[in-house]
Amino acid sequence: MKSLSERDKQNIWHPLTQHQTAMAPIGIVKAKGALLWNEEGNTFIDGIASWYTCMYGHANETITAAVSAQMQRLDFVLFSGFTHEPAVKLSEILLEILPSNQAKIFFNDNGSTAVEAALKMAFQYHHNKGEKRGTIIAFEDGFHGDTFGAMSASGLSSYNGPFEDFLLKVERIPPPQKDTTTAVLEQLDHIIETNDCAAFIFEPLVQGAAGMKFHDAKGLDKLIEKCQKAGIICIADEIMTGFGKTGKNFASDYLHHKPDLMCLSKALTGGMFPLSITSCSQTIFDGFLSEEVQKGFFHAHTFSAHPLGCAAALASVQLLSSRAIVAQKSYIEKAHKDFAKTIKNHPKVKEVRCLGVILAVDLQIKMERYGNLRDQLYQFFMERGVLLRPLGNTVYVLPPFVIANQELEKIYESIQSALEHF
């Protein structure tokens, strides 16, 4: 009998893969908690919660029970002209924990489409007022997704290179650090003066795909304040940072000036179902109210507010504030800090940093983002039963909240082994 990997090769085109040179994908047949099982029965610790989605662990019984119960009552109904309890209840519970200026919830189906909707909202908000604003402000090295608007806002050329001639107009600024905020503000002033800026989009505090790069909350606060005074809509892309990963429910909770729009996905449903949300302030929503039909937001996804996804999200959000998850988050944060102290002076460590349950180690090794040495490092971890996906020379750990002590220790041990091997 052919393996999953062999059957896969016949028909499937994988994401972020150069199939000419890539190794065969590993067939996964089971997942539970922080563990994955392959066809041979080997286990792997999911040290990145499968791209930071399964934060409550794989096959979490609370979430699976909620989805199972929901599919017996209502599987799906179109969301234009209809509504349902899971969507209404989810909107209510989210608005209780989102920043207080958020007032309305718009449903999408993944992170890129959440960003796409936010950018379109920003452009149309100005258009509805009779203003033509066509420039986006974004951070250098940001990543917001792979659809065209989201890709335009992103600054990683490894993803966007072939499409640069077709993208929206974007002006980029470096993320603010404690000693660079004044210079960044001056650069922002010049951009505002010389462009008709519609929106400022940013990953608050942590740039995920860039290598878990951190920036200064106070500096970001000042950028938001300046943009909002200029009538520029501020969009917080919390697809990676949202739902407890930075130590607070949202990275925006560290800010005094709150974003006008927020994008949420990934951990929203605990990895159980593709669903995303674009939330907005009342001011943004009011900008679409008119007797003129065309001033409404005519943007839709077939599976908007899917009842099963909403049920999964409801269960996930309730777990977020549970005593067990709060305790686990605290444990992981402390463990990360202790491990960071252990390795920070190692000659192969350029920098180590942590925030909430995010740990990032920059290696003192020159490495391409997608290159042979990086692939060797990935394989090194996999051979030790640990799933980590280095971003170039940055090894990061962002585990499920439910990870067991010994599983987290095994991840740390594999990183220490890598420091001696490479």
Side-chain angles (χ1 to χ4, degrees):
M1 179 183 290
K2 289 185 177 180
S3 68
L4 280 176
S5 295
E6 290 169 330
R7 290 162 58 199
D8 175 289
K9 189 175 181 180
Q10 294 297 116
N11 304 309
I12 295 179
W13 190 343
H14 282 266
L16 302 180
T17 301
Q18 173 47 263
H19 281 270
Q20 183 72 25
T21 57
M23 295 180 65
I26 296 170
I28 297 297
V29 297
K30 178 185 173 183
K32 183 66 178 176
L35 295 178
L36 305 170
W37 280 260
N38 71 359
E39 294 176 274
E40 290 76 37
N42 300 314
T43 60
F44 303 91
I45 300 169
D46 192 350
I48 58 172
S50 285
W51 274 340
Y52 359 114
T53 59
C54 302
M55 296 306 297
Y56 310 98
H58 293 276
N60 182 287
E61 293 175 5
T62 298
I63 303 174
T64 56
V67 173
S68 178
Q70 180 58 47
M71 70 173 62
Q72 305 303 319
R73 291 193 296 270
L74 173 65
D75 54 351
F76 177 69
V77 64
L78 70 160
F79 207 58
S80 181
F82 295 90
T83 192
H84 49 75
E85 175 69 16
V88 173
K89 190 172 181 181
L90 179 57
S91 69
E92 292 169 344
I93 197 171
L94 281 174
L95 289 172
E96 288 178 3
I97 65 171
L98 283 166
S100 59
N101 72 325
Q102 299 298 290
K104 298 290 181 182
I105 301 294
F106 188 90
F107 289 92
N108 315 280
D109 51 18
N110 63 61
S112 290
T113 56
V115 170
E116 207 77 13
L119 291 171
K120 288 178 71 175
M121 286 175 183
F123 285 130
Q124 188 177 340
Y125 176 84
H126 296 297
H127 177 83
N128 283 357
K129 297 200 309 180
E131 299 178 14
K132 187 175 182 180
R133 297 197 185 201
T135 301
I136 301 167
I137 304 168
F139 282 148
E140 296 171 355
D141 295 330
F143 180 74
H144 301 285
D146 293 318
T147 51
F148 260 82
M151 183 170 56
S152 296
S154 302
L156 293 170
S157 60
S158 55
Y159 296 105
N160 302 346
F163 313 104
E164 287 180 353
D165 292 341
F166 311 104
L167 303 179
L168 300 171
K169 183 181 179 184
V170 179
E171 293 287 341
R172 303 197 185 280
I173 55 177
Q177 305 297 341
K178 288 182 179 179
D179 58 347
T180 66
T181 297
T182 299
V184 176
L185 284 167
E186 289 175 357
Q187 189 174 339
L188 178 60
D189 275 330
H190 178 73
I191 290 171
I192 293 172
E193 289 170 5
T194 56
N195 294 270
D196 294 319
C197 298
F200 167 39
I201 185 168
F202 52 90
E203 298 161 271
L205 304 195
V206 186
Q207 291 182 291
M212 298 298 167
K213 292 181 179 177
F214 296 176
H215 53 269
D216 182 52
K218 290 182 179 178
L220 177 57
D221 227 3
K222 292 177 180 178
L223 298 180
I224 294 170
E225 180 182 22
K226 185 174 288 291
C227 284
Q228 289 178 332
K229 284 182 178 178
I232 298 166
I233 294 170
C234 293
I235 304 169
D237 177 351
E238 294 242 22
I239 291 159
M240 190 280 289
T241 54
F243 301 103
K245 300 188 193 83
T246 63
K248 295 181 182 287
N249 284 339
F250 302 98
S252 295
D253 292 335
Y254 288 93
L255 305 172
H256 175 71
H257 293 91
K258 303 304 182 184
D260 304 294
L261 291 155
M262 294 179 67
C263 303
L264 310 172
S265 190
K266 291 195 181 288
L268 171 64
T269 67
M272 188 64 63
F273 203 91
L275 185 75
S276 71
I277 277 165
T278 306
S279 68
C280 71
S281 67
Q282 189 67 43
T283 299
I284 298 297
F285 180 78
D286 289 347
F288 291 79
L289 300 179
S290 174
E291 294 298 321
E292 301 175 56
V293 174
Q294 64 270 25
K295 285 192 174 182
F297 190 51
F298 277 73
H299 175 98
H301 302 280
T302 299
F303 295 108
S304 290
H306 199 296
L308 305 188
C310 290
L314 274 168
S316 297
V317 174
Q318 289 164 347
L319 283 169
L320 179 63
S321 60
S322 68
R323 183 176 299 177
I325 295 300
V326 170
Q328 275 292 111
K329 283 167 54 184
S330 179
Y331 156 69
I332 295 168
E333 185 172 5
K334 182 180 184 304
H336 279 352
K337 289 178 179 177
D338 290 343
F339 180 64
K341 290 177 184 176
T342 301
I343 64 167
K344 68 177 183 179
N345 294 322
H346 193 285
K348 292 281 182 66
V349 173
K350 183 178 181 181
E351 183 184 53
V352 58
R353 55 194 174 276
C354 39
L355 178 67
V357 300
I358 303 169
L359 169 73
V361 183
D362 294 339
L363 303 180
Q364 198 75 263
I365 302 170
K366 190 173 182 180
M367 198 177 295
E368 296 294 326
R369 184 179 186 85
Y370 295 110
N372 186 50
L373 189 55
R374 177 266 173 201
D375 291 345
Q376 290 178 33
L377 183 57
Y378 168 77
Q379 194 60 33
F380 179 88
F381 292 130
M382 290 295 287
E383 288 169 358
R384 284 152 182 78
V386 175
L387 169 57
L388 297 174
R389 283 180 61 92
L391 296 163
N393 68 339
T394 300
V395 177
Y396 74 93
V397 182
L398 209 171
F401 296 138
V402 300
I403 192 168
N405 298 13
Q406 64 268 27
E407 292 167 347
L408 192 55
E409 286 300 323
K410 186 174 179 179
I411 292 174
Y412 296 153
E413 289 168 8
S414 72
I415 294 173
Q416 287 181 304
S417 296
L419 292 176
E420 303 306 321
H421 180 83
F422 285 88

